[in-house]
Structures are given as C-alpha cells and as structure tokens.
Amino acid sequence: MSGIITPMSSQPKVLITQDEIKKAVARLAAEIRRDYQGKEPLLIGILKGSFVFMADLVRELELPVEVDFVKLSSYGAGTETSGKIKMVQCLETRIKGRDILVVEDIVDTGLTVSFLLNYLKRKKPASLKLCALTDKPSRHKVPISIDYLGCTVPNKFIVGYGIDWNEKFRHLRDICCID
Ligand code: IMP
Ligand code: MG
C-alpha cells in the first residue's frame, strides 16, 4: 500500500465495468499466451491487490504456469508512498533461469514495481516482464515500461477487483474511484 490518505465520504463510482475488465484480461491473456508459447513462466503477483487479477488471468491463459506471490510495503509515514520499499513476504520459488512475469494491480508512482523488478533482475532470470491491470501514467516518478497493460486510469484513487482503500472495497466487481 502506498499509504495515500483518502476521504471516504462518497460512494465508489464505477470507472471500469466488470465487462470491460473481463475483455481486458482476455486480451492480456492472448498477448501473453502468444509470447510465451513453449515456455512455462513463473507469474509473481504483488500482494494483496493483485490476487483477483491473478486468479482471472491464470484461468484465461491456457498455458502451464507457476504462481508465486510477494508482499511489499512502503515504509515511513506520510500521505504518499515513501519510496522506501521492503519485502514483508518473500518468494518461495527459485528465480534463476526462469521466465518471470510480474503481475501488479496498479502502477502509481512506479516505485513498488521498480523495486521488485530490480530485486528480481539480480537473481538472473531468463526473462523478466511486467503485466499491470491499471496504470496512472501521470503519477510515475521513475521510468517504467509495462509489457502488458490492461487500462490507463486517471489520477484518482481507485478500488475494487482486489484493490482496496484501507482494506475495504476489494470485493467490488467493477473498478471504481472514490473522491
Ligand atoms: P506505487 O509504488 O506508487 O506505484 O504504488 C503501488 C501500490 O500502491 C499499488 O500496488 C497499490 O497497492 C497502491 N496504490 C496506488 N494507487 C492506488 C489506488 O488508486 N488505489 C489503491 N491502491 C493504490
Ligand atoms: Mg499493489
């Protein structure tokens, strides 16, 4: 979590419907399937936000994949990600020589994903790519190249489809924004 403080005065407003999410996941799965033919990639989800996306993505893929999860947290107080990331739950799978695809719910400043990609690169994978369901390009603080992107979102706080505000709203089927 980035620790962004958001008032919860209003009801979530639908930004991306469950139907649009389904289509985006199917498109991403088709792109990934095409690029990983004959391979058995290791998908690494960033907890907790990616758990719903990961569950749908692996079932659309129709590829033999392995799945692992990592939990990262940005430490330090403040209204925004501090940029100092630590790994609070490690991977169980060996990375060396594997085709790695990082699966993230949302790229905001990009600091979390950038930290993980640098960490994984040091473990000498055969290949390393990034799949993100959503991206807020206007918020990036570091250059991030997203190999497989679902949708870009405006600079608003989003929830639903696994993504939370203060552990709430993960169960929503649509991706919504709260003001
Ligand atoms: P980043 O390091 O700034 O890219 O932020 C990454 C993490 O912050 C995401 O994986 C989310 O957990 C969280 N985050 C960023 N923006 C939002 C948002 O709009 N809603 C909910 N969580 C968010
Ligand atoms: Mg996340």
Side-chain angles (χ1 to χ4, degrees), residues 115-128:
F115 169 89
L116 183 61
L117 292 173
N118 285 329
Y119 170 87
L120 292 169
K121 213 178 284 170
R122 291 198 295 273
K123 308 237 170 237
K124 308 239 180 309
S127 68
L128 181 58

Side-chain angles (χ1 to χ4, degrees), residues 5-24:
I5 294 168
T6 305
M8 222 201 80
S9 50
S10 60
Q11 283 299 307
K13 289 191 202 87
V14 176
L15 202 62
I16 308 167
T17 65
Q18 53 180 305
D19 216 51
E20 288 165 334
I21 298 170
K22 200 164 186 258
K23 284 184 187 136

Side-chain angles (χ1 to χ4, degrees), residues 46-47 49 104-106:
I46 306 181
L47 291 173
E104 174 63 313
D105 53 350
I106 174 157

